[in-house]
Amino acid sequence: MALGLPSPLKSLSPKQLAILEACLIGLVAGLSAVMLKQSIGWLGGWRIQLASQLPAWIVLPMIGAIGGFLSGFLIERFAPEAAGSGIPQVKAALGYIPIALNLRVAIVKIASTILALGSGLALGRQGPTVQIGAAIAGQISQWLPNSPENRRQLIAAGAAAGLAAGFNAPIAGVLFVIEELLHDVSSLTLGTAIISSFIGGVVSRILGGQNLNPSSNQVQFFAQEIPFLLLLGLIVGVFAALFNNSVIVVTKWNRQTFKMALSWRIAIAGCLSGIAIAMLPSDFRDSAGLQLFLANGQSDWLVTVGTFVVRFALTLIACSAETSGGLFVPSLILGAALGSLVGNLEHAWLGMGTPATYALSGMGAFFGAVAKVPITAFVIVFEITMDFNIILPLMITSAIAYLCSEKYAPSSLYTRLLGLKGIHLQSEAVTEGLWDGLRAADVMQREVETLPDRMSIDEAIQTFARSRHRGFPVLAGDNLVGIITQIDLAKAGERNLSGDMPISQIYTQKLIAVAPEESLSQVLYLLSYYKLSRLPVIERHKLIGIITRSDILRAQAQRLRGVSSQTTKPSYLVYQRRGTATGKGRLLLPLSNPQSAVYMLEMALAIAKERNYELECLHVIHLDRHLSLSETPVDLNLSLALFHTASVAAELMQVPMHSQVRIAHDIGHAIAEVAADRHTDLLAIGWHGYPDSPERILGDTVDIVIGQVDCDVMLVKFSDRLQNSNPFNREFKKDCISFDRWLVPVAEGQNTEQALLLLSGLINLSAYPEIYLCQVFSPDSKGNGSELLDKYAASLYNSMRYSVGKISICSKSTADAIVDLANQQRSDVIMLGACGESFLQQILHGNIPETIARNSDRTIIIFKKASAN
């Protein structure tokens, strides 16, 4: 959650604040990169020193295994998002995939990378610095409020700062954001990326020194070398494609073959790397030294070939285990090896160029072909060498290598790695500006409940009690003059103000409102900045609508469903029928089990009739996750049979009815999606009553629904006698389930009141209902609760003209007392009320409903009041 701004920062405009945040991001990212570099160097130096004093074939595998295990353990235990290079995760987060980027991820990424690379795994630190910078930016953007687009740009700026600090290449950091991550050249994106990259690069260069400094006088270029540079580009392109495809293959193989924890997989990779390195010359134990050695073209062709083969294999071993480390340094080493080979060939034939020219050109070309960022790679090598002689060779080899690699290994390696995890990013046309074109007028609620400024405080309290909203706009005539919230009423109570006083004396007059043409990103920024739950939409001082966070999320989901692939859809609509929209609200009824569907339908129709609601029947067909929602054929016979039964009953009771069939990988998310899209007021859903895990409260589907829907929920668990019934042959005969005798436990508060309001419709299910109110009090409590029972009994009689029984029970166990009383009274239905999800979870996971469900063969109804916007 965004924190409020310190008072000195509140005077800054959003653009000025973004620039300040970019400076802070660049500074912290640079310091983190320096710490990462120094720590890896220290641990790696200690490892090399220890290997020179003790048998290397023991020391290196042991350190590799221990360091790999600890690295994987940190990732598994504290931040699974920190696995791998980290760039795919950043790319996913910028593509609107909900992946955490925060301080926790940054800390774990730093620690796990130090342990993995310092232990000898053959990867680089520059990829992790990109995720570290992005995670730092993500955390800062959470501390200081930002609009969605600004936060996205700051995360990209953090990634740029990480790359700039990793390579001491500020320009390359900016280009990497444009070329690979955001594909955006807007002024704010460029501005924040440039600032953060510059600061990150400067901090890294001052404190961490230069990464690679080949002898500049060894770089030469002659026109006669162009054919050899073209040859180098082709070779690099082929091997870069082979490298990308190999990374995907070995990662898949590792996951399928080694069914074990990530920590053990990385430990095995570290041990294998240690064994391989122990068998090789000592030059292979230091990646930085090996890279500089190759870049200067100081090796003969046998050593170069051996270097390429060994590093290729070691990199694949580390990648296959999803080790915390990047592919930038391995790409540079492999490219330098190929360039050195071609350079030696050219020097033997023409004797004109230098191997260093080809090694540096190969570095940039291989890196650009693997990451699909040829411009960034070109600039990185140039910024490292600062030699203009390398520009043309780099341009030739990078362009040819990229084109060749794209032919045999299309698309970005990072995108393909995300695909292995089931994350499929949208095309640029989709992800570019998710909020573009959306205005407040497009998503606002046009039918707004308002209060007149002359309304008394007592009348306002009654209005709040009947509504699920926590605030109402206040009108003076047609003009919006303020907004009144539950906090305003609470303050009025604390001041002992008269209930007859008009609300004009207590409502909030300092309004934050938006115009209908305001952009959606700005609306969300204002909601976060001022910590609001709703914003009025006004035009010429007149209220024309209201917009909440739920409306914005609903608009985002609708846009994604309209333009994205099936992977972003909770469900897929295959059948829909609309009735007349004449009700004052909407009741959503998911139908699945034919044995309980008829009874659920009776209850839903009784409530809809009493409240003048429309009935929305939904049948969700579950598909396995490997099946396509849009392409898999489904059988609609059961759905149509359920809808036919519902349609006949709804027509008899003159209740407007809609119906739809959806297919989904997760039924709970599909129900929540429909509840949001159809602006549902009440959701009626069946509950089996027996969670299959102590971590689950009501079962997967119902838990998901309760956690996501923003409407009232009625949970129903029927008697076990229902299991052997055939509803389609009964024609609504109540031979299994009865609704004649009702037992309603009561307590002080809104829980009981809401349950009793629902009861006014449900008692119509019986011609002669009998209602018993009961209250359980502990032996230690004072009194027997008769006043409370009298109050609710009188309320029921006044509203429904039904006399009710009243029973007080003294017991240490509320659940046992209710179960025993239900048996004694031969109750058909036990009705419980719950207000708020946390309270619901507390009582459900505790004792009352679960004990009742297990020990009483009664129908149980639990009502949950919606959480207010």
Side-chain angles (χ1 to χ4, degrees):
M1 178 180 295
L3 301 177
L5 283 175
S7 54
L9 300 181
K10 290 186 177 180
S11 60
L12 298 178
S13 67
K15 189 172 183 179
Q16 292 172 328
L17 183 61
I19 293 174
L20 179 62
E21 288 174 316
C23 295
L24 181 59
I25 289 167
L27 177 62
V28 180
L31 293 174
S32 301
V34 171
M35 182 180 69
L36 185 68
K37 177 183 177 181
Q38 300 292 350
S39 300
I40 293 174
W42 176 84
L43 184 57
W46 172 80
R47 176 179 61 90
I48 294 173
Q49 182 181 4
L50 195 62
S52 64
Q53 298 173 352
L54 300 173
W57 61 272
I58 295 178
V59 171
L60 296 180
M62 182 180 297
I63 294 178
I66 295 174
F69 179 84
L70 294 176
S71 175
F73 174 78
L74 289 177
I75 295 171
E76 278 183 314
R77 179 67 178 83
F78 300 105
E81 305 88 349
S85 75
I87 295 178
Q89 291 90 319
V90 175
K91 195 168 183 178
L94 295 175
Y96 301 101
I97 304 297
I99 291 181
L101 287 175
N102 49 37
L103 187 61
R104 168 181 58 85
V105 175
I107 293 174
V108 172
K109 191 68 175 181
I110 292 173
S112 61
T113 303
I114 292 172
L115 289 169
L117 304 192
S119 300
L121 284 149
L123 294 174
R125 57 181 169 81
Q126 283 78 7
T129 60
V130 173
Q131 186 181 20
I132 292 167
I136 291 170
Q139 185 64 65
I140 291 175
S141 67
Q142 290 177 21
W143 285 337
L144 303 177
N146 283 280
S147 67
E149 283 304 309
N150 283 3
R151 182 175 185 273
R152 186 168 177 258
Q153 289 163 333
L154 288 176
I155 289 175
L163 185 70
F167 282 110
N168 290 344
I171 301 175
V174 177
L175 291 176
F176 184 73
V177 168
I178 298 173
E179 194 173 15
E180 173 65 12
L181 298 180
L182 272 188
H183 306 277
D184 182 11
V185 291
S186 64
S187 59
L188 185 58
T189 299
L190 283 177
T192 54
I194 289 172
I195 292 172
S196 60
S197 293
F198 173 77
I199 294 178
V202 169
V203 170
S204 177
R205 178 164 297 200
I206 292 175
L207 300 180
Q210 183 65 272
N211 290 319
L212 177 66
N213 190 17
S215 302
S216 60
N217 57 6
Q218 294 184 5
V219 178
Q220 301 176 11
F221 171 69
F222 301 95
Q224 294 87 335
E225 299 178 76
I226 291 179
F228 289 93
L229 293 172
L230 294 175
L231 174 63
L232 175 59
L234 289 173
I235 295 174
V236 167
V238 170
F239 278 99
L242 175 64
F243 180 80
N244 281 6
N245 292 330
S246 299
V247 169
I248 300 299
V249 170
V250 297
T251 302
K252 284 183 179 179
W253 174 83
N254 193 302
R255 290 182 181 179
Q256 296 171 359
T257 304
F258 298 100
K259 304 294 184 178
M260 59 181 65
L262 179 67
S263 55
W264 287 108
R265 289 165 52 199
I266 300 179
I268 293 173
C271 182
L272 293 176
S273 297
I275 293 173
I277 294 173
M279 299 169 60
L280 298 170
S282 58
D283 291 336
F284 287 86
R285 300 173 188 174
D286 181 11
S287 295
L290 182 62
Q291 183 181 347
L292 182 60
F293 178 69
L294 292 171
N296 286 325
Q298 298 173 350
S299 61
D300 58 39
W301 72 272
L302 284 175
V303 174
T304 303
V305 169
T307 299
F308 182 85
V309 172
V310 170
R311 294 299 298 199
F312 196 101
L314 292 178
T315 302
L316 292 182
I317 290 173
C319 282
S320 67
E322 298 179 81
T323 305
S324 180
L327 297 174
F328 290 168
V329 167
S331 298
L332 295 176
I333 292 176
L334 295 175
L338 292 176
S340 182
L341 286 174
V342 176
N344 286 331
L345 177 64
E346 183 276 332
H347 190 72
W349 282 19
L350 300 180
M352 300 182 65
T354 62
T357 303
Y358 289 86
L360 292 170
S361 299
M363 288 170 59
F366 201 97
F367 175 29
V370 166
K372 297 297 190 289
V373 286
I375 299 176
T376 301
F378 160 77
V379 173
I380 282 179
V381 176
F382 172 71
E383 286 191 277
I384 289 174
T385 62
M386 297 304 294
D387 191 336
F388 285 94
N389 292 325
I390 198 63
I391 291 179
L392 190 55
L394 267 175
M395 292 177 64
I396 294 173
T397 53
S398 296
I400 298 300
Y402 173 77
L403 294 174
C404 186
S405 174
E406 191 68 17
K407 171 70 175 177
Y408 299 106
S411 79
S412 168
L413 175 61
Y414 305 122
T415 302
R416 296 173 68 185
L417 288 172
L418 284 174
L420 294 181
K421 299 180 179 181
I423 299 175
H424 303 281
L425 299 179
Q426 311 305 316
S427 64
E428 177 59 22
V430 173
T431 58
E432 187 179 57
L434 182 63
W435 308 100
D436 287 353
L438 287 178
R439 305 168 302 141
D442 298 326
V443 300
M444 69 182 184
Q445 302 176 34
R446 298 183 182 275
E447 296 182 3
V448 185
E449 296 182 63
T450 61
L451 303 182
D453 63 342
R454 298 185 301 275
M455 176 180 280
S456 69
I457 293 177
D458 285 342
E459 291 173 329
I461 293 174
Q462 295 176 8
T463 302
F464 274 93
R466 293 192 299 267
S467 173
R468 60 189 177 91
H469 298 303
R470 292 186 300 177
F472 291 93
V474 180
L475 299 184
D478 293 333
N479 294 334
L480 178 67
V481 294
I483 191 166
I484 186 169
T485 66
Q486 292 176 342
I487 296 177
D488 295 325
L489 293 176
K491 290 180 178 178
E494 293 174 357
R495 294 161 55 190
N496 296 321
L497 297 179
S498 172
D500 296 329
M501 180 179 291
I503 60 174
S504 58
Q505 303 296 317
I506 64 170
Y507 66 72
T508 302
Q509 299 183 12
K510 294 182 180 180
L511 269 178
I512 305 297
V514 294
E517 63 273 8
E518 197 73 70
S519 68
L520 210 55
S521 60
Q522 179 64 15
V523 171
L524 191 54
Y525 169 71
L526 291 174
L527 289 171
S528 298
Y529 187 92
Y530 293 102
K531 294 187 285 187
L532 303 173
S533 60
R534 68 195 64 78
L535 277 176
V537 183
I538 60 173
E539 190 172 27
R540 297 187 180 94
H541 302 290
K542 292 186 177 181
L543 179 70
I544 63 172
I546 196 165
I547 186 169
T548 68
R549 294 177 185 270
S550 298
D551 297 325
I552 295 176
L553 294 176
R554 189 156 43 240
Q556 179 184 12
Q558 290 171 347
R559 169 163 284 202
L560 287 173
R561 285 196 303 275
V563 299
S564 68
S565 66
Q566 69 173 48
T567 56
T568 60
K569 292 183 178 182
S571 64
Y572 185 81
L573 181 67
V574 294
Y575 171 87
Q576 186 177 45
R577 184 176 181 180
R578 288 280 171 258
T580 57
T582 57
K584 294 182 178 179
R586 183 167 290 123
L587 189 155
L588 177 61
L589 177 63
L591 298 173
S592 56
N593 182 6
Q595 293 176 317
S596 62
V598 173
Y599 295 106
M600 290 295 300
L601 180 60
E602 288 186 84
M603 298 175 70
L605 286 172
I607 296 171
K609 181 70 174 179
E610 193 270 338
R611 295 192 174 188
N612 194 16
Y613 278 4
E614 301 164 17
L615 178 64
E616 180 94 24
C617 292
L618 169 68
H619 185 217
V620 181
I621 301 174
H622 179 264
L623 288 184
D624 292 335
R625 292 194 177 274
H626 69 277
L627 297 176
S628 169
L629 296 183
S630 60
E631 298 176 2
T632 303
V634 294
D635 184 2
L636 297 181
N637 288 331
L638 175 60
S639 305
L640 297 179
L642 292 170
F643 290 164
H644 175 72
T645 303
S647 177
V648 172
E651 186 175 354
L652 289 174
M653 297 191 66
Q654 297 182 340
V655 173
M657 186 187 120
H658 318 282
S659 56
Q660 58 177 296
V661 181
R662 291 179 175 266
I663 54 178
H665 294 141
D666 189 293
I667 294 177
H669 286 105
I671 295 174
E673 176 193 20
V674 175
D677 287 349
R678 298 292 290 158
H679 302 281
T680 301
D681 296 279
L682 174 63
L683 169 65
I685 187 170
W687 163 44
H688 296 296
Y690 298 98
D692 57 1
S693 168
E695 288 78 17
R696 300 186 178 96
I697 301 166
L698 300 169
D700 286 337
T701 298
V702 180
D703 279 355
I704 291 172
V705 170
I706 288 180
Q708 293 190 5
V709 298
D710 187 23
C711 64
D712 296 344
V713 179
M714 181 180 74
L715 306 174
V716 182
K717 180 259 177 185
F718 288 108
S719 168
D720 295 336
R721 295 191 301 271
L722 183 63
Q723 299 301 320
N724 299 320
S725 67
N726 186 348
F728 293 112
N729 293 331
R730 294 190 310 102
E731 298 181 355
F732 296 93
K733 293 180 181 178
K734 300 178 176 60
D735 55 349
C736 295
I737 301 298
S738 175
F739 298 99
D740 294 331
R741 300 175 66 86
W742 294 74
L743 179 63
V744 185
V746 302
E748 188 68 55
Q750 193 179 19
N751 303 348
T752 300
E753 295 174 1
Q754 296 299 329
L756 294 179
L757 287 175
L758 192 67
L759 185 62
S760 62
L762 291 174
I763 61 172
N764 296 320
L765 296 171
S766 173
Y768 304 100
E770 298 181 20
I771 304 172
Y772 290 89
L773 303 182
C774 75
Q775 184 179 21
V776 181
F777 58 94
S778 67
D780 299 332
S781 63
K782 296 180 180 179
N784 57 7
S786 59
E787 298 85 358
L788 189 63
L789 288 174
D790 292 340
K791 169 187 172 182
Y792 286 128
S795 175
L796 281 177
Y797 182 79
N798 292 332
S799 61
M800 296 181 289
R801 296 300 172 183
Y802 277 103
S803 297
V804 299
K806 298 175 290 184
I807 304 173
S808 296
I809 305 174
C810 179
S811 176
K812 293 182 179 180
S813 172
T814 301
D816 292 341
I818 293 174
V819 170
D820 292 341
L821 181 60
N823 292 332
Q824 295 171 11
Q825 296 291 324
R826 292 178 296 173
S827 302
D828 299 314
V829 184
I830 303 174
M831 189 166 188
L832 300 167
C835 181
E837 182 178 348
S838 60
F839 179 81
L840 180 66
Q841 291 186 3
Q842 180 182 354
I843 66 168
L844 290 181
H845 201 264
N847 296 316
I848 300 176
E850 184 175 359
T851 302
I852 294 172
R854 293 186 182 276
N855 298 329
S856 178
D857 187 20
R858 315 290 171 184
T859 296
I860 299 171
I861 299 175
I862 303 176
F863 179 79
K864 174 188 177 296
K865 181 69 176 173
S867 299
N869 293 327

